[in-house]
Amino acid sequence: MDAMVTGRMSQAKKELGNQVLRELGTNASQVINELYDYVISRRALPFSAPEEERGERLRAAVAAVDAVPKVELDARFAAMDVRRARMERLSDDGLMGDGR
């Protein structure tokens, strides 16, 4: 027989959370079950890492960002918003029709 897990939160948080979970294709029961599976198998919470581990993750993230090569941007795109720059770029590549 299945057991129930009860938790308290504001009604607004519950509604917003359930909306996001639906958008992600899941629900509270599935997420809670996955959380319990994680806790049981690792004997740890997925969202709280020891200070040392957080530092290692941060250093790895910084190194990954630093490894991205720097690119000179075409000056004509500097004053454009992202949407306009994309449209201009597609036009340059011949992928944009006349009806921009």
Side-chain angles (χ1 to χ4, degrees), residues 1-96:
M1 175 184 249
D2 288 342
M4 297 276 298
V5 175
T6 303
R8 294 212 178 269
M9 66 182 71
S10 71
Q11 185 66 32
K13 182 188 288 188
K14 178 183 175 192
E15 290 170 6
L16 287 171
N18 284 338
Q19 178 183 341
V20 172
L21 292 175
R22 276 192 303 277
E23 291 169 8
L24 296 172
T26 190
N27 61 48
S29 290
Q30 290 172 330
V31 171
I32 291 168
N33 272 292
E34 287 181 31
L35 172 63
Y36 269 66
D37 290 343
Y38 184 98
V39 169
I40 290 166
S41 67
R42 300 187 183 184
R43 305 195 68 72
L45 296 172
F47 38 79
S48 67
E51 185 66 34
E52 183 178 312
E53 186 178 326
R54 286 195 303 264
E56 289 173 20
R57 287 183 188 175
L58 179 60
R59 283 187 292 281
V62 168
V65 169
D66 288 345
V68 174
K70 302 212 179 345
V71 176
E72 284 294 320
L73 297 177
D74 190 326
R76 71 185 174 146
F77 295 118
M80 294 181 193
D81 65 18
V82 173
R83 183 176 179 277
R84 181 68 190 149
R86 285 180 181 154
M87 290 174 61
E88 193 72 23
R89 182 62 194 197
L90 288 170
S91 177
D92 290 350
D93 292 341
L95 299 174
M96 200 70 176

